[in-house]
Amino acid sequence: MKKPFFDRLLVAFSWGCALLLISAVSIIIGFLVVKGYKTINLDLIFADTRPLDGLLLKRQVFGGLFPAIIGTLSLILLAISFAMPVGIASGIYLSEYAPANQKWFFSLMVDILAGIPSIVVGLFGFSITIFLHHFFSNRIFPCLLISALSLAFLVLPYIVKTTQTAMESLPFQVRLTAPALGATRLENIIFVLLPTALSDIVSGLVLAIGRCAEDTAVIMLTGVVATAGIPKSIFSNFEALPFYIYYIASEYSDPSELMKGYGAALILLLICSGLFCIAHWIKNTIDQKQRFSY
Amino acid sequence: MRFAVKENLAQLFFSGAAVLSGAATLLILGFMILLSLPVLESGLLMNILTDPWSPGHGQFGILAMIVGTLYIAGLSLLIGFPISLGCSFFIQITSPHGPGKLLKKLVQFMTAIPTVIYGFVGVFLLVPVVRQVFSYGSGMSILTASLMLGILICPTMILFFSQSFARVPKNFLLAADALGGTPFQKLIYVIIPHAWPGLLTGLILGFGRAMGDTLIALMISGNSVMLPSSILDSARTLTAHIAMIIAADFDSIEFKTIFICGSVLYLLTSCGILAARILDRRQQG
């Protein structure tokens, strides 16, 4: 039997859209890979410095991506260590303790925070810096610490949301077993609910790390610069991969600098897709083990 | 008794964290409003909303940026929406097994691609193409930025659309099958009437994502401060405007107006989130 006209149209339309999207993404990634794969080598990262000297911080690396990579890593580390405890604790509160009206209010707040454009979060970090500069100490300038704090604000809602959803989606039997054996609410949370929901929470965390690695708008206003070397302390300026890519795209002066930009874009893409794969892997493999044991 | 103390302390800690997260949202709003106050009080608000931007002549209007934002976000929605709709049909209705699952994986992966990469590829691939095809200006235009943004916002919409299609009760679909409905009829008479709040929510969230993005607009829309007259003109968005202001003088009006931009963006996105929540409740209830 021949399919009706509109059904064939539907199939054609959906295939068309799917192929269009797939080809757009392949063109974007393919363009970077084709143009940039040649630049990926140790010179790109360490330039003239010997890799070991650079890694051990014996000598400053000039002209390579090493300072930008270190900057991005320290940014991630700081931001996540601020956002993780607060985010997970709020998620637990929202799913386990909060009465309905509080839950409504707090999850609205978290939703709004998640929707705020990242540049506004950056502007907030910047205005805090001015505020502190005026009222506390005029030695406070945009720096690594301020950037990390602002980024923490940016990823906080993701961590709260994933924790809350992970805890709320636990099956009822899991929830009731420990209290039935005499466990208190806190014991139930720490020994049963959190471990069971852990894989989802961790995969959410990894995605939050990806957000920290890719975000440019926040750090643009809060202390990233084009050349700073490896940050000496959390109060100094720093370099970061995404900002480096933006900077090259707008201000490159010669083809070799542009090639470095392609290399940096490719490295950032690899880091972010790696994080994405890790998050997926954690979610799928560990989750199945958990399901086995119940 | 020690148990009770521990329990209460833990609850205090958890609720404290939640209050902190909630306070973050209000704190950002507070700062934006507080820092726009000097401008609001000076009675210059109308001038700022309607004047052109030319700091040299003492005019600090952000109208062109607001229009630029709406133009770019609107056009990117126009580009992204049909594609997203088609892709979510593909994932949920026409080929839910095999190919659909693969496409869903790809869409999820797209959320992990950094925005700056879209911008970078835009500068070196899309801008020259647009310049050649239309042989008009530098190639940095509303259209260029909207094309890239259209792709960027697809994952947000596709994932939301497919989720709301999946929430249509199974027995409704089975009933339509039992009556001999074709997939198209099922879509028009069962799925869309049931899932339209979800479609609208996805649309709002996609618009918010397009409006809130900084890097693509900053890198490939040209950033001119004139009111755009066609989609091939260059334009500046509010987000790019904030990113570009590097005023050394913190007390200048020029600097203070960027907090108005911040407040406008904040309020627009929060309205979007509120609307999305109301619609979401509607589909569930």
Side-chain angles (χ1 to χ4, degrees):
Chain A
M1 196 182 86
K2 213 173 134 193
K3 276 186 171 179
F5 170 72
F6 281 114
D7 279 282
R8 275 181 292 153
L9 195 69
L10 178 67
V11 172
F13 174 63
S14 59
W15 269 98
C17 289
L19 291 179
L20 193 65
L21 191 73
I22 293 169
S23 45
V25 177
S26 335
I27 288 172
I28 290 172
I29 294 175
F31 177 75
L32 272 186
V33 172
V34 168
K35 288 262 194 175
Y37 80 97
K38 280 193 220 107
T39 62
I40 299 282
N41 52 30
L42 279 177
D43 273 3
L44 174 70
I45 296 173
F46 294 103
D48 309 328
T49 320
R50 277 190 30 228
L52 203 61
D53 288 352
L55 271 181
L56 297 174
L57 307 181
K58 276 190 195 149
R59 285 173 56 191
Q60 277 282 20
V61 176
F62 292 107
L65 292 177
F66 185 62
I69 294 174
I70 293 294
T72 294
L73 285 184
S74 24
L75 205 58
I76 292 174
L77 215 63
L78 276 172
I80 291 293
S81 55
F82 291 134
M84 186 174 79
V86 180
I88 293 183
S90 327
I92 292 174
Y93 181 74
L94 289 186
S95 85
E96 302 303 315
Y97 291 97
N101 55 350
Q102 273 188 32
K103 198 165 165 168
W104 179 86
F105 175 75
F106 281 122
S107 47
L108 178 65
M109 286 297 126
V110 171
D111 277 355
I112 291 181
L113 191 58
I116 296 176
S118 57
I119 192 85
V120 176
V121 178
L123 187 59
F124 168 69
F126 183 59
S127 48
I128 289 237
T129 321
I130 300 173
F131 185 76
L132 294 177
H133 184 89
H134 266 270
F135 291 101
F136 287 97
S137 151
N138 52 11
R139 283 179 309 164
I140 296 178
F141 287 103
C143 62
L144 186 59
L145 181 67
I146 302 265
S147 277
L149 272 173
S150 315
L151 267 183
F153 274 107
L154 190 77
V155 295
L156 183 64
Y158 295 89
I159 301 178
V160 177
K161 271 256 122 77
T162 42
T163 310
Q164 189 191 349
T165 329
M167 302 279 280
E168 278 175 353
S169 61
L170 293 177
F172 218 56
Q173 304 98 291
V174 177
R175 228 164 238 294
L176 290 182
T177 313
L181 294 169
T184 63
R185 199 178 198 179
L186 181 63
E187 284 168 342
N188 191 22
I189 291 174
I190 292 182
F191 297 116
V192 181
L193 303 183
L194 261 185
T196 321
L198 199 62
S199 62
D200 282 3
I201 296 175
V202 172
S203 86
L205 272 179
V206 177
L207 290 181
I209 291 176
R211 290 274 307 178
C212 288
E214 69 120 8
D215 194 89
T216 324
V218 169
I219 57 176
M220 256 168 106
L221 292 178
T222 51
V224 75
V225 286
T227 41
I230 290 165
K232 285 168 205 68
S233 77
I234 53 173
F235 298 109
S236 57
N237 284 329
F238 61 100
E239 294 177 39
L241 268 183
F243 183 76
Y244 183 82
I245 298 167
Y246 162 72
Y247 180 78
I248 291 293
S250 49
E251 329 240 328
Y252 71 98
S253 52
D254 58 80
S256 76
E257 226 176 61
L258 179 59
M259 286 322 286
K260 264 198 257 165
Y262 279 110
L266 208 53
I267 290 179
L268 185 65
L269 185 64
L270 282 176
I271 293 176
C272 287
S273 30
L275 286 171
F276 174 80
C277 294
I278 292 174
H280 249 246
W281 178 78
I282 291 175
K283 201 166 175 150
N284 292 335
T285 48
I286 304 184
D287 202 31
Q288 259 143 28
K289 267 184 224 144
Q290 287 281 8
R291 222 175 280 147
F292 253 116
S293 53
Y294 285 105
Chain B
M1 256 354 260
R2 273 189 55 218
F3 274 130
V5 173
K6 216 163 142 193
E7 294 283 312
N8 290 339
L9 272 181
Q11 182 165 359
L12 208 64
F13 170 69
F14 291 140
S15 62
V19 168
L20 202 64
S21 322
T25 314
L26 297 176
L27 199 63
I28 296 179
L29 178 67
F31 256 86
M32 288 302 128
I33 302 275
L34 196 73
L35 288 164
S36 348
L37 266 185
V39 180
L40 296 181
E41 276 172 354
S42 65
L44 288 172
L45 183 65
M46 271 331 277
N47 295 25
I48 282 167
L49 288 181
T50 53
D51 275 356
W53 176 267
S54 71
H57 298 92
Q59 288 180 309
F60 303 101
I62 55 168
L63 179 66
M65 287 58 139
I66 296 180
V67 173
T69 300
L70 295 180
Y71 248 110
I72 291 181
L75 190 61
S76 63
L77 208 57
L78 222 57
I79 295 166
F81 178 64
I83 301 179
S84 309
L85 206 57
C87 288
S88 50
F89 289 163
F90 188 81
I91 291 172
Q92 286 294 333
I93 299 164
T94 52
S95 30
H97 313 287
K101 281 208 178 108
L102 267 178
L103 184 65
K104 194 167 181 187
K105 280 260 170 341
L106 177 85
V107 171
Q108 282 167 340
F109 169 72
M110 278 178 76
T111 57
I113 301 178
T115 348
V116 70
I117 289 199
Y118 287 100
F120 190 82
V121 174
V123 172
F124 295 108
L125 185 71
L126 194 61
V127 169
V129 169
V130 170
R131 185 167 50 214
Q132 281 194 337
V133 170
F134 296 97
S135 45
Y136 178 90
S138 65
M140 296 198 175
S141 63
I142 294 180
L143 179 70
T144 328
S146 304
L147 279 171
M148 257 312 169
L149 267 178
I151 300 173
L152 177 84
I153 60 175
C154 273
T156 313
M157 289 196 279
I158 295 173
L159 294 175
F160 215 87
F161 291 171
S162 354
Q163 187 197 338
S164 75
F165 289 161
R167 271 203 252 157
V168 175
K170 280 280 169 301
N171 42 357
F172 286 21
L173 297 176
L174 289 175
D177 281 339
L179 293 168
T182 66
F184 179 75
Q185 287 167 330
K186 217 161 52 177
L187 178 69
I188 294 294
Y189 297 112
V190 182
I191 297 178
I192 293 205
H194 210 273
W196 71 263
L199 289 181
L200 208 53
T201 315
L203 212 58
I204 293 171
L205 293 181
F207 189 79
R209 182 102 173 76
M211 196 168 60
D213 186 79
T214 312
L215 262 293
I216 291 182
L218 183 63
M219 289 168 94
I220 60 179
S221 73
N223 295 319
S224 102
V225 292
M226 304 296 289
L227 269 178
S229 55
S230 87
I231 57 167
L232 290 173
D233 278 344
S234 110
R236 190 190 283 193
T237 61
L238 286 169
T239 49
H241 185 61
I242 296 176
M244 288 176 83
I245 292 277
I246 312 161
D249 183 9
F250 295 153
D251 291 324
S252 65
I253 308 179
E254 184 181 354
F255 182 70
K256 280 173 187 157
T257 52
I258 65 170
F259 291 103
I260 303 262
C261 299
S263 309
V264 170
L265 277 171
Y266 188 108
L267 293 177
L268 281 176
T269 44
S270 337
C271 288
I273 299 286
L274 262 178
R277 260 182 100 91
I278 293 168
L279 282 166
D280 195 49
R281 183 163 290 185
R282 197 176 163 125
Q283 193 185 3
Q284 281 175 340

